[in-house]
Amino acid sequence: MKSINEINSLKLIIKALFFVFCGSYLLLIIKNMFAIMENDLSYINECSSEDITSLIIVTIVIKLISKGLFFIGFYHLIKVLNFETLDGSFSIKKINLFKKSGRLILLSGVIGIFAISIDMLINVFNATFSTIEQNNDFLYSLYFSAIVGLFLIVFSKILERASELKKENELTI
Amino acid sequence: MPIIVNLDVMLAKRKMKSKELAEIIGITTANLSILKSGKAKAVRFSTLEAICKALDCQPSDILEYIED
């Protein structure tokens, strides 16, 4: 009972973080829409409007996709957290949600790392070294995201096995 | 599963009802039904002992191995 109370308080923190993330993602979309309406992509990227190439636009779109995937994965994870008892986490539905969110977060991390790598290469060619450090910091969070995604997939496999063992245990007379 | 549970046969031989056996060995009728239908994944030695005691038989009278 005590552990459930602890988990409930942690769930609240995660849900609050999800709303913060939703807010920041919404702001990002508004900023990008504004940039497109103004026809000035320097709002999105640190480079000046003359430097903008199609490659930069592609990286921006890939980053947006990566963040969108993370958003969906995070949403699934929030749905997983809506269980009342620990036994509820053994249901097939919850396990599938864990797997789904893990895959999405892992994919988001991998796509994000790919986009940042392209961005870093562009910065090297353009000799804008100040943004390389920023990108490098962002890279760590993406690596972490990919690792968390992988962990969630592994965890879902463990839960799947645990669910099978629970069923077997229930059918032991 | 190649393990067949012949509990029905033994119950008929002893002219005992499932409910009675369940009460004697201390398991629910639902669990006894799972055992009878062969859906059970495992049987505890303590349950097997109780069944053998109640029906006055050997484990081989209840469980049978038939190759697939």
Side-chain angles (χ1 to χ4, degrees):
Chain A
M1 199 64 194
K2 198 187 166 193
S3 62
I4 275 289
N5 287 341
E6 276 174 21
I7 290 168
N8 280 341
S9 53
L10 287 170
K11 274 196 299 196
L12 274 176
I13 296 168
I14 295 293
K15 278 179 185 173
L17 283 173
F18 179 67
F19 284 114
V20 171
F21 181 76
C22 284
S24 69
Y25 191 64
L26 202 69
L27 279 175
L28 190 78
I29 290 170
I30 291 167
K31 189 181 88 170
N32 288 358
M33 277 170 68
F34 185 69
I36 291 163
M37 278 160 67
E38 289 285 309
N39 204 17
D40 187 1
L41 288 175
S42 58
Y43 282 107
I44 304 169
N45 210 286
E46 285 202 353
C47 57
S48 63
S49 3
E50 295 114 54
D51 297 329
I52 293 164
T53 60
S54 56
L55 200 60
I56 292 172
I57 298 167
V58 168
T59 56
I60 291 161
V61 171
I62 293 172
K63 276 183 206 169
L64 260 180
I65 291 168
S66 161
K67 279 169 189 161
L69 286 173
F70 184 79
F71 173 78
I72 301 165
F74 202 167
Y75 173 70
H76 283 310
L77 202 61
I78 293 289
K79 274 199 334 196
V80 171
L81 291 173
N82 286 332
F83 56 79
E84 296 304 319
T85 58
L86 280 176
D87 279 349
S89 57
F90 286 113
S91 74
I92 297 294
K93 201 179 159 192
K94 298 276 178 196
I95 292 167
N96 285 340
L97 277 174
F98 255 120
K99 206 184 285 176
K100 209 171 177 181
S101 68
R103 278 178 188 162
L104 285 166
I105 291 171
L106 177 68
L107 196 65
S108 142
V110 171
I111 289 174
I113 290 165
F114 178 68
I116 292 288
S117 305
I118 295 171
D119 218 17
M120 280 172 91
L121 277 174
I122 293 167
N123 289 328
V124 167
F125 286 119
N126 288 344
T128 47
F129 297 105
S130 61
T131 51
I132 290 175
E133 204 178 318
Q134 279 178 6
N135 278 342
N136 200 31
D137 289 341
F138 190 49
L139 211 56
Y140 280 109
S141 61
L142 286 169
Y143 275 127
F144 184 71
S145 163
I147 290 164
V148 167
L150 188 70
F151 173 76
L152 284 173
I153 293 169
V154 171
F155 192 62
S156 76
K157 296 277 177 202
I158 293 168
L159 271 181
E160 224 168 52
R161 183 77 189 109
S163 173
E164 276 172 25
L165 287 173
K166 190 174 175 275
K167 258 185 211 164
E168 268 180 35
N169 189 44
E170 278 167 358
L171 287 172
T172 300
I173 314 295
Chain B
M1 205 145 93
I3 300 289
I4 307 293
V5 182
N6 291 321
L7 202 56
D8 276 341
V9 180
M10 281 313 292
L11 278 169
K13 276 183 187 170
R14 298 287 183 267
K15 288 174 186 161
M16 196 187 274
K17 284 180 184 170
S18 300
K19 201 180 167 188
E20 275 177 68
L21 181 68
E23 273 171 19
I24 294 167
I25 63 175
I27 63 168
T28 60
T29 45
N31 275 345
L32 192 67
S33 172
I34 290 169
L35 190 60
K36 270 166 61 184
S37 60
K39 284 178 188 167
K41 293 273 180 187
V43 185
R44 286 190 193 94
F45 276 146
S46 56
T47 312
L48 195 61
E49 188 191 327
I51 292 169
C52 289
K53 202 174 175 183
L55 295 174
D56 190 26
C57 63
Q58 291 298 312
S60 60
D61 295 328
I62 301 161
L63 303 173
E64 193 184 347
Y65 172 73
I66 294 172
E67 213 167 337
D68 280 335

